[in-house]
Amino acid sequence: MTERIAYVVTSGISMNPVYYQNDLVIVMKADSYHVGQIAAYHGDVPGQRVLHRIIGGSGSAGFVLKGDNNESIDPKTPTTEEMIGRAVLHIPKGGTWLKPFLGPSGIGMLSFLVISGGAATAARNRREIPRGRRKKKVKAMSRQGGSLETAAAVFKTVQRLPPALRGGAYLAAAFLALAVLLGVLGWMKPVVETREVAAPPRQSLTYSYSAKVPKSAAYDGTTVSSPEPIFRRLTNNVDLVTRYEGPPGTFDLSARLTNGTGWHTTIQLVDEVAFTGSSYEATAKFDLKALVARADAASTAIGTSSSGSVSVALSARVVSQGRATLSAPLTIEVTPVQMVLGGNSKLTTESAGSAGTTVVPREIGILGLTAAQARSYAILSLIAAGALAAIVFLIARRAMPLRTRAQIERRYPQLLVHVEPMASPPGKPIVNVDNFPALVKLAEKYGQMILTWRREDSDDFVVRDEGITYRYRVPLDRPELLDIEHQNRPATAGSHRRKASSPVS
């Protein structure tokens, strides 16, 4: 959700032998990247993520990336801001087990498992319920709705947890709810959708030229304008004006000179300049005499005769955001007599797109996310919910008081020695401890095993040292603590039994 971590499930062979089909790679956003790192960026197809190695470029101008098993470099050059992140964790074939959970059914199944796992902490062990009551409970449950009882049991269990664990359980539930919400919104429709696109604004580039001439019989006035020819005997100075109409962007103008000998050179008339507004105009001054002299000097250098002529191919270019580059070619022929437009040259070049459709990422309006982002966040939220639920369950289970013989034997089988009931030494004190872990600490302190036996009304666990008997007693007179299956329990392998000479006091 912080846009700092994401995952990529690999496909294809472009990164063999580092990654193979269906590997899972975790990537993390970085402030900078360098050559040699494997990084991910968004591809041209909505929702696509490309994971390749950086082989050149920079963060500001754009990185050059290439698959280790590819012959060519990637056409896209993402900047640091456009990177998804660098590879930090590789799980071979991890995508194979992740893919089944990427659908709505997988989200629902995992949600059920998380809820069921929480409910399991609330349900008491079958061995802790008397057989008669167990049957009655099963019959009662068969007559009731299981979902409400399960939810109530989970809620009661969470309420009994310590504050820290209770907060963790609530946070896991919040992550689970978020995962279900994002999963439904992300998978209810495809990640892309088709939208109608209005016709883009019209663009146009128009050339015009003019020159001041003395009063003569060649012209009606003292100013000559395009598309009229300009006779060089009257003037060699021409003002070329290029006007653009359309969305803002950047503008530049260049001229390519040729003279029919194979020689050519390019002159930058207007350097690239950014502009705002819906129009831009640039003026370049032509010295026809200087242009011809440049072409004649080239002819002399290569050993051909000078023709006194030059062809000027103008190229104005405008780059606007979200639009194809608009280029306007114009050819001007300069001879010893005049300057005229080249054949088939047009003074105006226009570009007008038409309305149509386009494929764009589907957006979830209420959250401000795309469907692909919602799917990713659903998976991450589900993983977070599962991890938190597991941590809460393990800690709660570890901290759960040991109230039955079955629980104690499962937790500390290596410390227990099953014996026949033993009498306490006469005149020696008996110290009752409040909980079994305290008895375990005493056994470890004195290097003793814990002796245990069953009486008619309780299970006794004792540690004896220097005449003092430390005892933890589990009474059997409370139905919820009764352990029927362990009555008359036979001796386990390796246990020791001793016959007492008198009842235990």
Side-chain angles (χ1 to χ4, degrees):
M1 296 181 181
T2 61
E3 301 288 342
R4 300 294 300 180
I5 188 169
Y7 69 91
V8 177
V9 177
T10 59
S11 61
I13 61 173
S14 63
M15 283 301 293
N16 291 169
V18 179
Y19 304 134
Y20 290 92
Q21 183 85 5
N22 289 328
D23 284 359
L24 176 64
V25 182
I26 305 299
V27 296
M28 184 172 293
K29 192 79 172 178
D31 296 329
S32 62
Y33 302 85
H34 58 77
V35 174
Q37 285 183 332
I38 297 176
Y41 64 91
H42 294 288
D44 295 328
V45 179
Q48 180 189 43
R49 295 171 179 176
V50 181
L51 185 69
H52 282 169
R53 191 181 301 277
I54 300 174
I55 62 171
S58 64
S60 57
F63 289 105
V64 180
L65 293 97
K66 173 181 173 295
D68 290 355
N69 198 36
N70 283 352
E71 295 292 336
S72 58
I73 63 174
D74 297 356
K76 196 169 184 178
T77 55
T79 61
T80 298
E81 291 73 18
E82 294 171 334
M83 286 288 194
I84 300 175
R86 62 181 181 86
V88 295
L89 177 63
H90 172 215
I91 304 176
K93 298 301 178 182
T96 302
W97 56 261
L98 183 62
K99 282 183 178 180
F101 302 111
L102 298 181
S105 59
I107 291 286
M109 182 179 67
L110 283 176
S111 303
F112 172 77
L113 291 176
V114 172
I115 295 174
S116 300
T121 63
R124 292 189 310 184
N125 193 303
R126 286 173 53 88
R127 296 183 177 181
E128 301 170 25
I129 304 174
R131 295 185 184 275
R133 294 187 61 205
R134 188 187 309 165
K135 293 180 180 179
K136 294 179 182 179
K137 188 170 184 178
V138 171
K139 292 180 180 179
M141 290 181 63
S142 66
R143 295 192 298 265
Q144 300 174 359
S147 299
L148 292 178
E149 283 72 14
T150 299
V154 172
F155 181 75
K156 290 179 180 179
T157 301
V158 171
Q159 290 299 103
R160 291 195 295 267
L161 293 175
L165 293 181
R166 193 185 315 140
Y170 289 152
L171 184 59
F175 273 120
L176 178 61
L178 180 63
V180 173
L181 174 63
L182 293 176
V184 171
L185 295 177
W187 274 282
M188 65 188 301
K189 293 180 181 179
V191 294
V192 296
E193 60 185 358
T194 302
R195 290 183 184 176
E196 293 187 357
V197 180
R202 181 181 295 273
Q203 294 177 292
S204 65
L205 277 169
T206 302
Y207 294 104
S208 64
Y209 58 83
S210 63
K212 295 292 185 180
V213 295
K215 189 173 182 62
S216 67
Y219 299 104
D220 294 334
T222 57
T223 301
V224 56
S225 303
S226 54
E228 296 295 324
I230 296 178
F231 296 105
R232 295 183 58 195
R233 183 164 184 173
L234 299 177
T235 184
N236 278 290
N237 298 314
V238 180
D239 292 333
L240 176 70
V241 178
T242 308
R243 182 173 181 79
Y244 167 77
E245 298 285 345
T250 61
F251 172 88
D252 68 88
L253 175 63
S254 60
R256 190 171 187 268
L257 308 183
T258 58
N259 62 359
T261 63
W263 164 84
H264 63 84
T265 188
T266 300
I267 302 174
Q268 195 69 31
L269 301 177
V270 178
D271 292 329
E272 184 176 293
V273 58
F275 64 92
T276 58
S278 58
S279 64
Y280 180 76
E281 187 174 282
T283 301
K285 294 187 176 296
F286 271 7
D287 184 344
L288 303 182
K289 194 173 185 178
L291 294 178
V292 172
R294 177 71 178 88
D296 289 346
S299 297
T300 302
I302 61 179
T304 60
S305 58
S306 301
S307 62
S309 302
V310 65
S311 178
V312 182
L314 298 172
S315 178
R317 187 179 62 165
V318 174
V319 179
S320 297
Q321 182 70 28
R323 299 292 299 273
T325 300
L326 177 63
S327 297
L330 179 70
T331 302
I332 294 176
E333 301 291 344
V334 181
T335 68
V337 177
Q338 61 184 354
M339 185 198 86
V340 294
L341 294 176
N344 300 322
S345 290
K346 296 187 299 181
L347 292 174
T348 300
T349 299
E350 292 184 329
S351 173
S354 58
T357 60
T358 185
V359 177
V360 297
R362 179 171 65 87
E363 295 182 352
I364 302 174
I366 59 174
L367 300 176
L369 301 173
T370 64
Q373 289 174 324
R375 293 184 179 187
S376 296
Y377 294 159
I379 294 297
L380 294 176
S381 299
L382 192 59
I383 293 173
L388 278 173
I391 292 172
V392 170
F393 174 76
L394 293 176
I395 296 177
R397 183 179 180 183
R398 187 68 181 175
M400 185 182 301
L402 302 175
R403 298 181 178 180
T404 67
R405 172 179 288 278
Q407 293 175 344
I408 293 174
E409 290 179 343
R410 282 196 298 269
R411 184 76 62 84
Y412 300 103
Q414 73 281 4
L415 293 179
L416 301 179
V417 177
H418 296 272
V419 299
E420 294 292 342
M422 300 173 61
S424 299
K428 298 299 182 180
I430 297 177
V431 179
N432 291 312
V433 297
D434 295 332
N435 54 75
F436 193 82
L439 190 66
V440 172
K441 290 182 180 179
L442 290 170
E444 294 174 345
K445 176 181 178 181
Y446 297 119
Q448 300 287 340
M449 300 294 288
I450 298 176
L451 306 180
T452 179
W453 58 80
R454 168 149 293 177
R455 300 175 64 203
E456 292 182 357
D457 60 345
S458 66
D459 281 316
D460 286 1
F461 301 86
V462 300
V463 172
R464 288 180 174 175
D465 183 74
E466 297 179 355
I468 301 177
T469 300
Y470 299 94
R471 180 177 64 190
Y472 176 71
R473 174 168 285 179
V474 178
L476 298 179
D477 55 351
R478 289 183 293 169
E480 67 270 17
L481 299 179
L482 190 60
D483 188 1
I484 299 297
E485 294 182 14
H486 281 73
Q487 288 185 357
N488 303 320
R489 184 182 183 279
T492 57
S495 65
H496 306 280
R497 288 187 178 275
R498 302 173 186 167
K499 187 174 182 179
S501 59
S502 63
V504 177
S505 59

